[in-house]
């Protein structure tokens, strides 16, 4: 649902919120601890004064890297102390839903100190999703190298995808949107619109990618037929990639993202156009995957994790998904690859949740989505 008419930011709102956010980002001190009861749950404000934060990743020492869509990356410690924006980022096209987006820490960080981040890159013809890697040392970004660029670039500020997930083999999955105007390309193999791609940390395509030997196909492609994948997580038992994506008006969906599979967009979907017109050929078609779970109406899903900690033992193995539209945290209870129950949490908070992460302490960390956003810790 996060689109030109859905749960995402419209360009005029982006300019207004950016102006407001700049006035609110004063200083880099720790936010006062604020606690609030939410049934048996407790929310603690770790840090505030963030301008539309997008991605959150934990460093091995427990500190967090947090991106702000306006083009800033900061380090936040457990006490909520925020660093100044890190230097060394490349040029970023901040427009609509575009900007500095997800961030991920290398699984071999202890050896190489590398971090990876996704962003919208200015390019001839408009902008595109790009991914860069950098060495993070002495609280600085060094040796920044772009390792992936979505092809082709296009105009408009919508549907960049941009979640980053490392597989157990060390390869990197990147989720990509259809850029809204490029939806027809989601069914074609000669472009990156509406795809999930898989690359090595140096940007090359692994030899076992499903379309590596397909004539005319881009070798990075892992799966096709996506609209705007903004949630992705590795299943803790199987190591499979799970994703969720925004539908149009209705039709947000959760999938197990398998190599060489076609997830249907825009041929099949459980949603409709804004205004109610049908999309494509319906909800089913031979050779195209059905989602494990879908929402009608859309919830505008955001970050997603499998919970594996011990602080909420009854949630272990559940999918936790933030909602931008209905201001809630959705907990999907699973039986293997079947969703058996949905529990809606934190509905009375009134926050649009952008990212969800499990901390090394077992608590759950949430980024809210606003020009004066917070980093929250969910406890009990």
């Amino acid at each position: 649902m996060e689109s030109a008419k859905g749960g995402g930011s419209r360009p005029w709102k982006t300019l207004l919120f950016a102006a407001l956010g700049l006035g609110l980002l004063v200083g880099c001190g720790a936010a006062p601890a604020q606690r609030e009861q939410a049934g048996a749950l407790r929310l603690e404000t770790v840090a505030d004064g963030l301008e539309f934060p997008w991605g959150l990743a934990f460093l091995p020492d427990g500190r967090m890297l947090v991106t702000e869509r306006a083009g800033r990356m900061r380090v936040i410690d457990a006490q909520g102390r925020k660093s100044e924006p890190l230097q060394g980022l490349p040029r970023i096209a901040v427009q609509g839903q575009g900007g500095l987006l997800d961030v991920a820490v290398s699984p071999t960080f202890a050896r190489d100190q590398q971090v990876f981040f996704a962003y919208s890159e200015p390019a001839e013809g408009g902008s595109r999703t790009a991914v860069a890697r950098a060495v993070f040392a002495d609280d600085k970004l060094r040796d920044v190298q772009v390792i992936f660029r979505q092809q082709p670039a296009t105009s408009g500020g919508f549907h960049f995808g941009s979640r980053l997930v490392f597989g157990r083999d060390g390869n990197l999955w990147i989720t990509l949107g259809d850029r809204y105007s490029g939806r027809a390309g989601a069914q074609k193999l000669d472009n990156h619109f509406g795809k999930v791609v898989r690359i090595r940390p140096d940007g090359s395509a692994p030899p076992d990618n499903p379309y590596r030997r397909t004539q005319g196909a881009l070798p990075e492609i892992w799966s096709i037929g996506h609209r705007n994948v903004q949630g992705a997580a590795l299943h803790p038992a199987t190591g499979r990639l799970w994703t969720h994506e925004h539908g149009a008006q209705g039709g947000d969906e959760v999938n197990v993202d398998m190599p060489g599979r076609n997830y249907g967009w825009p041929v099949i979907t459980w949603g409709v156009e804004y205004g109610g017109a049908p999309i494509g050929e319906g909800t089913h078609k031979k050779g195209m995957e059905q989602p494990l779970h879908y929402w009608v109406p859309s919830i505008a899903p955001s970050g997603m994790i499998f919970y594996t900690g011990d602080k909420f033992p009854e949630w272990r193995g559940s999918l936790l998904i933030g909602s931008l539209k209905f201001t809630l945290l959705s907990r999907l209870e699973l039986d293997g690859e079947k969703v058996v129950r949905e529990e809606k949490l934190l509905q009375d908070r009134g926050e649009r949740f952008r990212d969800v992460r499990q901390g090394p302490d077992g608590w759950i960390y949430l980024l809210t989505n606003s020009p004066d956003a917070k980093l929250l810790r969910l406890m009990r």
Side-chain angles (χ1 to χ4, degrees):
M1 176 98 184
E2 186 180 29
S3 72
K5 300 183 181 179
S9 300
R10 297 179 176 89
W12 67 267
K13 284 189 175 180
T14 302
L15 294 173
L16 174 60
F17 288 163
L20 289 171
L22 288 172
L24 290 164
L25 283 170
V26 179
C28 295
Q34 299 172 11
R35 295 186 176 183
E36 173 177 328
Q37 293 295 326
L41 304 176
R42 188 173 80 239
L43 281 171
E44 180 179 75
T45 299
V46 178
D48 56 17
L50 296 166
E51 184 184 1
F52 289 109
W54 212 97
L56 166 65
F58 281 88
L59 293 162
D61 62 9
R63 294 182 301 161
M64 293 158 275
L65 291 173
V66 174
T67 61
E68 293 173 279
R69 200 176 65 209
R72 292 181 289 270
M73 187 185 300
R74 300 180 188 270
V75 181
I76 302 179
D77 65 18
Q79 289 72 47
R81 291 184 289 259
K82 303 195 300 285
S83 74
E84 294 288 345
L86 301 182
Q87 301 299 308
L89 291 170
R91 288 181 60 219
I92 297 171
V94 180
Q95 178 189 8
Q97 296 164 4
L100 182 58
L101 302 171
D102 205 12
V103 59
V105 174
S106 168
T108 54
F109 183 87
R111 183 177 72 244
D112 55 32
Q113 287 80 53
Q114 288 186 344
V115 298
F116 294 73
F117 55 91
Y119 64 103
S120 52
E121 178 186 56
E124 185 177 354
S127 60
R128 58 190 171 199
T129 301
V131 175
R133 66 179 183 183
V135 173
F136 177 74
D138 301 322
D139 290 345
K140 296 178 181 178
L141 296 175
R142 299 173 178 166
D143 302 326
V144 176
Q145 296 179 316
V146 179
I147 59 169
F148 174 80
R149 289 182 166 100
Q150 185 180 35
Q151 300 293 339
T154 189
S155 60
F158 303 102
H159 297 192
F160 291 91
S162 296
R163 285 294 173 193
L164 304 176
V165 175
F166 279 99
R168 290 176 177 173
D169 57 6
N171 292 319
L172 177 64
W173 281 294
I174 306 166
T175 73
L176 300 169
D178 66 1
R179 297 302 311 280
Y180 194 67
S181 61
R183 64 162 66 174
Q187 289 293 319
K188 299 176 182 178
L189 295 173
D190 62 353
N191 66 81
H192 291 132
F193 292 145
K195 308 296 193 298
V196 172
V197 301
R198 176 175 175 254
I199 61 172
R200 290 168 165 162
D202 64 2
S204 62
D208 59 343
N209 271 5
Y211 299 106
R212 185 68 189 261
R213 294 177 177 84
T214 302
Q215 186 174 2
L218 297 179
E220 303 85 18
I221 295 174
W222 175 262
S223 62
I224 72 172
H226 300 285
R227 185 172 182 267
N228 190 23
V229 182
Q230 289 193 334
L234 203 67
H235 191 284
T238 67
R240 288 181 173 179
L241 178 69
W242 287 46
T243 61
H244 72 60
E245 63 188 86
H246 293 260
Q249 188 168 297
D252 299 346
E253 57 186 55
V254 176
N255 292 293
V256 180
D257 210 281
M258 300 294 289
R261 301 288 179 88
N262 184 340
Y263 291 85
W265 178 258
V267 179
I268 61 170
T269 176
W270 287 90
V272 296
E273 300 282 13
Y274 302 110
I279 299 172
E281 301 177 19
T283 59
H284 291 71
K285 186 171 183 176
K286 185 177 179 180
M288 296 183 177
E289 304 300 310
Q290 282 295 300
L292 300 186
H293 184 78
Y294 64 90
W295 288 273
V296 176
S298 294
I299 67 165
S302 56
M304 176 172 77
I305 60 166
F306 287 94
Y307 184 72
T308 61
D310 58 2
K311 296 297 195 295
F312 304 92
E314 71 278 20
W315 294 358
R316 194 173 293 123
S318 295
L319 269 180
L320 300 179
I321 300 172
S323 167
L324 292 161
K325 181 180 179 184
F326 289 126
T327 63
L328 58 85
L329 179 66
S330 172
R331 183 177 76 87
L332 298 183
E333 188 175 323
L334 304 174
D335 179 6
E337 293 184 351
K338 181 180 179 181
V339 176
V340 297
R341 177 172 174 257
E342 180 179 19
E343 181 181 14
K344 297 176 180 179
L345 305 166
L346 307 179
Q347 289 178 281
D348 59 348
R349 176 70 182 185
E351 296 281 9
R352 305 174 78 223
F353 295 114
R354 168 54 77 182
D355 202 7
V356 182
R357 299 288 168 176
Q358 179 181 314
D361 54 9
W363 298 121
I364 295 164
Y365 290 74
L366 302 160
L367 286 175
T368 66
N369 187 69
S370 78
D372 184 21
K374 301 177 181 68
L375 169 61
L376 301 173
R377 183 188 292 123
L378 179 60
M379 309 171 73
R380 63 166 32 138

